[in-house]
Amino acid sequence: MSRTGTGLDAVGAAAPRPQWSSRLAFILAATGSAVGLGNIWKFPYITGENGGGAFVLVYLACIAVIGLPILAAEVMLGRRGRHSPIRSMAELARVDGASPRWAWVAWMGFVAAFVLLSFYSVVGGWSLAYISHAATGAFTGADADTIGGLFGGLLGSAPTLTLWHSVFMLMVVVIVGAGVNAGMERAINLLMPLLFVLLLLLVGYAVVEGDFTRGVDFLFAADFSKLSTDGVLTALGHAFFTLSTGICVMMAYGSFLPREVNIARTVVTIGVLDTLVALLAGLAIFPLVFANGLEPGAGPGLLFVTLPLAFGQMTGGALFGTLFFFLLLVAAITSAISMIEPVVEWLEDRGVPRKAGALGAGLLIWALGLCTVLSFNHWAGFHPLGFISRFEGKTLFDLFDFLVSNLALPLGGMAIAIYAGWIMKPELLRESLGLGDGLAGSLFRFVLRFLSPAAVLIVFLYNLV
Ligand code: PFF
C-alpha cells in the first residue's frame, strides 16, 4: 500500500528501490560515512591545536545538541523522498506546500559532495602512500628531517599523488558501481568491523608502548583557560563535518532506509559510534606522541610527520604504523563512497545505470581531483582569489576545502533544520522521526527551529570574517 497520502512518503513506492537489509546495515553505512579522515586525522590535530580536554567537551556538546538533530532531519527527508536528494527535495517541497526552490539545497549538496570527494580522494591517497612507507620500514629509526622529507616528497610529486588518488577513486567506483546491497553494503559489512578491530589493536599498542596516562589526561582533563572562541567555533564546525551532515549525503543514504526503522534512536547510535572512534583515535595517537617527547599541536602534520616519527622510534613501529595507515584508508573509503552516492542516484533518476553512473561520475571527480594534486606542487603559487584578503595565499585545494567545510556544510545544515522545523507540520515531523507526543518531540522541534539555525549562523558568519 502506498502511504503517499500520509506525507510520510512524498513520492510513493511506484519505482522499486533497493533498501538497506536491516537497521544495523544502515547504522554501519552511516557510521562509515561519518567516521573518516575527520575522526582519525582532523579531530586529533584540532584537539592538539586547541589544548585538549575543554575542546573535547565542547565538541561533544555540539554533536549532541546541534549535529544529531540535523542529522536526524536529513535522514528523515531522504526516507520521505525515496529518490536522489535533488528529486526528493523537489517532491517534498511540492507535497509540503513549500517553494520548489528548496531543491537548491540539494543542488548545493550535490556540487559540494562532488568537490569534497575530489580532494578527499587525494588525501585518502596519502594513506595508501603511507601504508607503503610504513610497511617498507621507511620510518624505522628515521630522524625528523627524513620523515619531513617523506611528506614533502609525496606532496611535491604530482605523478605519485595522482597514482594514489587514482587507486583510491578506482576502489570507490568499484564499490559504488556494484550496487547498494551487493557493493556498498557488502563492503561496509567487511570494512566497519575491520575498522573497529584495527582501532582497538592500536589503542592496545598505545597502552603498552605509549605514555597512556598523559594521553588520557590530554584528551579528558578540561582546562577551559586553554580554549579560545576560535576553538569553540572550530568544534561546532567539525561537528557537521564529522557527522557528514549538511550536503545531502546522509539524505541519499536515508533514501534506502526501511520504513519501520526509528530515526531518532538510530542517529543517536551513529553519533555515539562516531564520537567513540574519534576519542579512540586520540587515545591511539597521543600516548605515542608523548612517549617520544613530541608535540601534540603540530596541526595537519600530526599524522603524517609527528606520528611516523614516533612509530620509527618504537618496537613494533613498522607493523603498527602499517596498521594505523590501513585504518586511515578504511575510514576514508567508507566515507568516500557516501560522497559519490548522491551523484550516482541523480544519474539513476535520469535513467543512467548505476555502473555507468559510478564510472562517469568517478572519472569527472577524479579529473577535478587533479587540481588538488597540482595545488601541492606545480600550482602551489596559484592563488585564484588572492586579490581578496580573506583568501590571500590560498591554493585551489584550500578554496575547495573552504567552499565545502566552511560554506556548504553549515549552510546546508541550516537549511535542512529550517525545512524540518518550520516547513513540516509538527505532527508529521514527530511521526517521521519516530518521536512520540512527549517532551523529546517538542525539544527536538525547538532545537531544529531555533538553536541549530542560530548556531550555524554564528559559525557561518564567523567563517566569513
Ligand atoms: N564525515 C567524514 C569524515 O569525518 O571524514 C567527512 C564527510 C563525509 C563530510 C561525507 C561530509 C560528507 F557528506
Short mmCIF file of all heavy atoms in Angstrom, two decimals, residues 33-39 116 120 238 240-245 247 249 274 335 338-339 409, ligand 1:
data_model
loop_
_atom_site.label_atom_id
_atom_site.label_comp_id
_atom_site.label_asym_id
_atom_site.label_seq_id
_atom_site.Cartn_x
_atom_site.Cartn_y
_atom_site.Cartn_z
N SER A 33 30.15 6.50 6.78
CA SER A 33 30.25 7.84 6.18
C SER A 33 30.77 8.84 7.20
O SER A 33 31.63 9.67 6.92
CB SER A 33 28.87 8.27 5.68
OG SER A 33 28.91 9.63 5.31
N ALA A 34 30.24 8.74 8.42
CA ALA A 34 30.62 9.71 9.46
C ALA A 34 32.08 9.54 9.88
O ALA A 34 32.83 10.51 10.03
CB ALA A 34 29.69 9.56 10.66
N VAL A 35 32.49 8.28 10.06
CA VAL A 35 33.86 8.03 10.51
C VAL A 35 34.80 8.10 9.32
O VAL A 35 34.70 7.30 8.40
CB VAL A 35 33.95 6.62 11.15
CG1 VAL A 35 35.40 6.25 11.38
CG2 VAL A 35 33.18 6.58 12.44
N GLY A 36 35.68 9.06 9.32
CA GLY A 36 36.59 9.19 8.18
C GLY A 36 37.84 9.94 8.56
O GLY A 36 38.25 9.94 9.74
N LEU A 37 38.41 10.60 7.57
CA LEU A 37 39.62 11.39 7.84
C LEU A 37 39.33 12.40 8.94
O LEU A 37 40.21 12.78 9.70
CB LEU A 37 40.04 12.13 6.56
CG LEU A 37 40.43 11.24 5.38
CD1 LEU A 37 40.60 12.07 4.12
CD2 LEU A 37 41.73 10.50 5.69
N GLY A 38 38.07 12.85 9.00
CA GLY A 38 37.67 13.82 10.03
C GLY A 38 37.93 13.29 11.44
O GLY A 38 38.33 14.04 12.32
N ASN A 39 37.69 12.00 11.66
CA ASN A 39 37.87 11.44 13.00
C ASN A 39 39.31 11.12 13.31
O ASN A 39 39.79 11.34 14.41
CB ASN A 39 37.08 10.12 13.14
CG ASN A 39 35.62 10.32 12.88
OD1 ASN A 39 35.23 10.75 11.81
ND2 ASN A 39 34.82 10.04 13.87
N LEU A 116 34.02 17.83 -2.66
CA LEU A 116 34.61 17.20 -1.46
C LEU A 116 35.33 15.91 -1.83
O LEU A 116 36.48 15.69 -1.44
CB LEU A 116 33.52 16.94 -0.42
CG LEU A 116 33.91 16.13 0.82
CD1 LEU A 116 35.04 16.79 1.59
CD2 LEU A 116 32.71 15.92 1.75
N TYR A 120 39.11 14.84 -1.11
CA TYR A 120 39.16 13.80 -0.08
C TYR A 120 39.91 12.58 -0.62
O TYR A 120 40.67 11.93 0.10
CB TYR A 120 37.72 13.42 0.27
CG TYR A 120 37.50 12.79 1.63
CD1 TYR A 120 37.26 13.57 2.75
CD2 TYR A 120 37.47 11.40 1.78
CE1 TYR A 120 37.01 12.99 3.98
CE2 TYR A 120 37.22 10.83 3.01
CZ TYR A 120 36.99 11.63 4.11
OH TYR A 120 36.74 11.06 5.33
N HIS A 238 33.37 21.38 13.15
CA HIS A 238 33.78 20.00 12.97
C HIS A 238 32.64 19.02 13.27
O HIS A 238 32.60 17.92 12.70
CB HIS A 238 35.01 19.67 13.82
CG HIS A 238 35.59 18.33 13.50
ND1 HIS A 238 36.07 18.01 12.25
CD2 HIS A 238 35.73 17.21 14.24
CE1 HIS A 238 36.48 16.76 12.25
NE2 HIS A 238 36.28 16.25 13.45
N PHE A 240 29.66 19.23 12.27
CA PHE A 240 28.97 19.00 11.00
C PHE A 240 29.78 18.08 10.10
O PHE A 240 29.27 17.14 9.52
CB PHE A 240 28.76 20.31 10.25
CG PHE A 240 27.63 21.10 10.80
CD1 PHE A 240 27.85 22.15 11.66
CD2 PHE A 240 26.33 20.76 10.48
CE1 PHE A 240 26.80 22.86 12.19
CE2 PHE A 240 25.27 21.46 11.00
CZ PHE A 240 25.51 22.52 11.86
N PHE A 241 31.06 18.40 10.00
CA PHE A 241 31.92 17.64 9.10
C PHE A 241 31.94 16.17 9.51
O PHE A 241 31.76 15.27 8.70
CB PHE A 241 33.33 18.22 9.12
CG PHE A 241 34.24 17.62 8.09
CD1 PHE A 241 34.20 18.07 6.78
CD2 PHE A 241 35.12 16.60 8.42
CE1 PHE A 241 35.03 17.50 5.81
CE2 PHE A 241 35.95 16.04 7.46
CZ PHE A 241 35.91 16.49 6.16
N THR A 242 32.15 15.94 10.80
CA THR A 242 32.33 14.57 11.24
C THR A 242 31.05 13.75 11.12
O THR A 242 31.09 12.55 10.90
CB THR A 242 32.88 14.52 12.69
OG1 THR A 242 33.29 13.19 12.95
CG2 THR A 242 31.86 14.93 13.71
N LEU A 243 29.88 14.40 11.24
CA LEU A 243 28.62 13.64 11.11
C LEU A 243 28.16 13.57 9.65
O LEU A 243 27.10 13.02 9.36
CB LEU A 243 27.53 14.26 11.98
CG LEU A 243 27.70 14.10 13.49
CD1 LEU A 243 26.60 14.85 14.22
CD2 LEU A 243 27.69 12.63 13.90
N SER A 244 28.91 14.14 8.73
CA SER A 244 28.54 14.16 7.30
C SER A 244 27.20 14.84 7.06
O SER A 244 26.47 14.46 6.16
CB SER A 244 28.46 12.75 6.70
OG SER A 244 29.61 12.01 6.94
N THR A 245 26.86 15.84 7.87
CA THR A 245 25.54 16.47 7.68
C THR A 245 25.67 17.78 6.93
O THR A 245 26.63 18.51 7.10
CB THR A 245 24.87 16.84 9.01
OG1 THR A 245 25.85 17.34 9.87
CG2 THR A 245 24.18 15.71 9.63
N ILE A 247 25.24 18.28 3.42
CA ILE A 247 25.34 18.29 1.96
C ILE A 247 24.59 17.10 1.34
O ILE A 247 24.91 16.65 0.25
CB ILE A 247 26.80 18.37 1.47
CG1 ILE A 247 27.65 17.23 2.02
CG2 ILE A 247 27.42 19.70 1.84
CD1 ILE A 247 29.05 17.19 1.40
N VAL A 249 24.37 14.03 1.76
CA VAL A 249 24.92 12.69 1.63
C VAL A 249 24.12 11.72 2.51
O VAL A 249 23.73 10.62 2.08
CB VAL A 249 26.41 12.72 2.06
CG1 VAL A 249 26.90 11.38 2.48
CG2 VAL A 249 27.26 13.28 0.91
N ASP A 274 30.44 7.41 16.16
CA ASP A 274 31.35 8.35 15.53
C ASP A 274 32.25 9.01 16.57
O ASP A 274 33.47 9.15 16.38
CB ASP A 274 30.55 9.42 14.77
CG ASP A 274 31.44 10.41 14.07
OD1 ASP A 274 32.09 10.01 13.09
OD2 ASP A 274 31.50 11.58 14.50
N SER A 335 33.83 6.63 3.89
CA SER A 335 33.24 7.97 3.77
C SER A 335 33.12 8.37 2.31
O SER A 335 32.12 8.95 1.89
CB SER A 335 34.11 9.01 4.49
OG SER A 335 34.14 8.75 5.85
N SER A 338 30.13 7.38 0.32
CA SER A 338 28.88 8.11 0.58
C SER A 338 28.84 9.42 -0.19
O SER A 338 27.77 9.95 -0.48
CB SER A 338 28.70 8.36 2.08
OG SER A 338 29.58 9.38 2.54
N MET A 339 30.01 9.97 -0.52
CA MET A 339 30.02 11.27 -1.20
C MET A 339 29.62 11.16 -2.66
O MET A 339 29.05 12.08 -3.23
CB MET A 339 31.42 11.87 -1.14
CG MET A 339 31.87 12.20 0.26
SD MET A 339 33.61 12.64 0.24
CE MET A 339 34.00 12.34 1.96
N LEU A 409 28.58 22.95 4.13
CA LEU A 409 28.09 22.11 5.24
C LEU A 409 27.24 22.92 6.22
O LEU A 409 26.10 22.53 6.51
CB LEU A 409 29.25 21.44 5.97
CG LEU A 409 29.95 20.28 5.23
CD1 LEU A 409 31.27 19.94 5.88
CD2 LEU A 409 29.07 19.05 5.21
N1 PFF B 1 32.37 12.62 7.98
C1 PFF B 1 33.52 12.46 7.13
C2 PFF B 1 34.78 12.50 7.99
O1 PFF B 1 34.68 12.73 9.21
O2 PFF B 1 35.85 12.32 7.44
C3 PFF B 1 33.61 13.52 6.09
C4 PFF B 1 32.36 13.77 5.30
C5 PFF B 1 31.75 12.72 4.61
C6 PFF B 1 31.81 15.02 5.28
C7 PFF B 1 30.59 12.95 3.89
C8 PFF B 1 30.66 15.28 4.59
C9 PFF B 1 30.07 14.23 3.90
F1 PFF B 1 28.97 14.48 3.24
#
